[in-house]
Amino acid sequence: EAGVVQSPRYKIIEKKQPVAFWCNPISGHNTLYWYRQNLGQGPELLIRYENEEAVDDSQLPKDRFSAERLKGVDSTLKIQPAELGDSAVYLCASSLVARTSGGNEQFFGPGTRLTVL
Amino acid sequence: RKEVEQDPGPFNVPEGATVAFNCTYSNSASQSFFWYRQDCRKEPKLLMSVYSSGNEDGRFTAQLNRASQYISLLIRDSKLSDSATYLCVVNSWGNTPLVFGKGTRLSVIA
C-alpha cells in the first residue's frame, strides 16, 4: 500500500515568491494534517482537515498561508509571499480516526524541504 | 510551560547499553501517548503507543505515569540502528491534533 505522497521533495525560492506543496494521503484516510518542522524542533500543526473541512487552522498564519482539500482527498498548502522565516520542512500526515476511541496513529509523508533565500 | 517537554540530548551510548528517555506533559486531560522515531532528514514514524499499563515491544518498553504526567521510553541492548531522534507525542482525544515534543537525539556508538 502506498504511503503519504508529497511533492516536491525540495524547493528553493527567493523571498516574496509564492510556493505550493502537494499531498496525497493514504487511501481511505479521512483526516489530513499539515505540519511545519523547524530544525531541532518537533512538528507543529498548521491545519487539520476532516474530509474536506478544515476543522483546526488556528496555527495557520492566514495572512500568507492558505490550504485546500478539494473532494476530501489531495491537499495543497500555499505560501504567498514567502519569507525567510518560512524555511522549514513541511510535513503532510493522514490518519483514519475512530471517533469512539482515543488515539490516532498518523502516517507522515517524506516532507517538502523549503529554503527561502 | 511547553505542553510536551523532552531533554533534547544528545544521548551518546555504546552498543549494548540501556538508555531511557523521559517526557513530561502539561495537559492533564491528555488521553493518548506515543513515541515516534525520526531518522535524520526523514519523516517521523510511529515507534509505539504508550498504554496505561505499560507496554513492551522487543527491546523497547514504554511507561506512562498519569499522576506525575510523564512518559518514558527504555531501550535495552542498544543497536547502531537505534540512532535517531525520539519524539514524545501527546493527544487529548481521538481527533484532536497530536502535540509533539522537540525530540531526544540518541547516538549509539560502536
Side-chain angles (χ1 to χ4, degrees):
Chain A
E1 182 184 328
V4 177
V5 179
Q6 289 188 248
S7 69
R9 293 292 310 277
Y10 304 91
K11 190 73 177 178
I12 301 173
I13 60 171
E14 293 188 345
K15 63 181 181 182
K16 299 185 182 180
Q17 294 301 304
V19 64
F21 315 126
W22 175 81
C23 173
N24 179 243
I26 291 173
S27 178
H29 280 193
N30 57 329
T31 305
L32 183 147
Y33 312 77
W34 282 103
Y35 290 88
R36 176 169 56 192
Q37 186 172 23
N38 291 304
L39 193 63
Q41 306 290 318
E44 295 180 332
L45 182 73
L46 292 173
I47 189 167
R48 174 169 63 97
Y49 283 92
E50 286 187 15
N51 300 305
E52 64 275 7
E53 182 185 358
V55 296
D56 184 354
D57 63 355
S58 56
Q59 300 302 312
L60 191 72
K62 296 181 183 62
D63 56 337
R64 297 182 300 106
F65 285 65
S66 63
E68 61 181 11
R69 191 184 184 197
L70 299 175
K71 301 180 182 178
V73 181
D74 295 1
S75 178
T76 55
L77 177 69
K78 297 178 182 177
I79 309 175
Q80 182 171 11
E83 295 179 354
L84 295 176
D86 295 332
S87 295
V89 176
Y90 291 82
L91 293 161
C92 179
S94 70
S95 68
L96 182 61
V97 177
R99 290 182 175 274
T100 57
S101 65
N104 54 337
E105 179 179 357
Q106 296 185 11
F107 296 84
F108 285 82
T112 297
R113 185 173 297 272
L114 174 68
T115 302
V116 182
L117 302 175
Chain B
R1 182 185 171 188
K2 291 245 183 228
E3 199 163 342
V4 178
E5 294 203 62
Q6 297 180 249
D7 180 345
F11 284 62
N12 299 313
V13 303
E15 270 188 293
T18 295
V19 62
F21 310 135
N22 286 332
C23 162
T24 59
Y25 61 94
S26 61
N27 185 355
S28 58
S30 299
Q31 295 288 337
S32 304
F33 310 90
F34 310 90
W35 284 101
Y36 274 70
R37 170 191 169 133
Q38 186 170 26
D39 292 297
C40 189
R41 302 179 78 87
K42 298 285 190 180
E43 71 273 20
K45 291 183 179 177
L46 179 67
L47 177 65
M48 58 197 305
S49 301
V50 186
Y51 303 123
S52 296
S53 55
N55 49 303
E56 188 174 310
D57 183 3
R59 298 182 293 107
F60 298 82
T61 301
Q63 297 279 354
L64 167 64
N65 184 318
R66 284 189 185 272
S68 301
Q69 293 183 203
Y70 80 79
I71 310 152
S72 65
L73 177 68
L74 181 78
I75 306 175
R76 290 181 298 276
D77 188 23
S78 299
K79 311 290 184 193
L80 294 175
S81 58
D82 294 335
S83 297
T85 296
Y86 291 83
L87 297 162
C88 174
V89 187
V90 172
N91 180 217
S92 293
W93 190 248
N95 58 346
T96 56
L98 298 180
V99 179
F100 287 79
K102 290 185 178 182
T104 298
R105 210 168 92 221
L106 170 67
S107 289
V108 181
I109 305 161

